[in-house]
Amino acid sequence: GYYQSARVGKKTIWFTGNRGSSAAHMAGAMELLNINPRLFSCVISHVASFHEAPALLNALRQSSVSEVDGRLFMKALIDFTVQ
């Protein structure tokens, strides 16, 4: 896949998308996440709505140890279905 990075302060943040995934792939992935969220808990450390995402990324930028809310930041899922 294609990855975009941005240097923010002393950290590099990587952004990924879903280019090449069909609507059916995304629906299947969302269903798996809803059925068994623990299956992905070792990879997805934080979930945020679209409106919460900037604050989450700012918190990561300001953290000196790559933690947000006391949890190691691995991968965030931006949920566009949550207001």
Side-chain angles (χ1 to χ4, degrees):
Y2 178 75
Y3 301 95
Q4 180 69 41
S5 66
R7 188 83 175 152
V8 181
K10 296 180 180 178
K11 296 184 180 189
T12 301
I13 299 176
W14 294 88
F15 298 91
T16 61
N18 61 348
R19 188 169 191 266
S21 296
S22 69
H25 289 134
M26 297 307 292
M30 287 188 296
E31 185 176 338
L32 280 174
L33 281 168
N34 285 325
I35 290 171
N36 191 357
R38 280 192 260 153
L39 182 64
F40 300 94
S41 65
C42 63
V43 178
I44 299 172
S45 59
H46 295 77
V47 178
S49 71
F50 176 71
H51 297 290
E52 296 168 329
L56 177 65
L57 293 175
N58 275 327
L60 174 62
R61 181 182 62 84
Q62 295 170 359
S63 170
S64 61
V65 290
S66 297
E67 288 185 355
V68 176
D69 297 329
R71 294 188 323 251
L72 181 64
F73 191 94
M74 296 295 290
K75 187 174 287 250
L77 179 117
I78 308 303
D79 187 344
F80 289 90
T81 64
V82 175
Q83 295 295 322

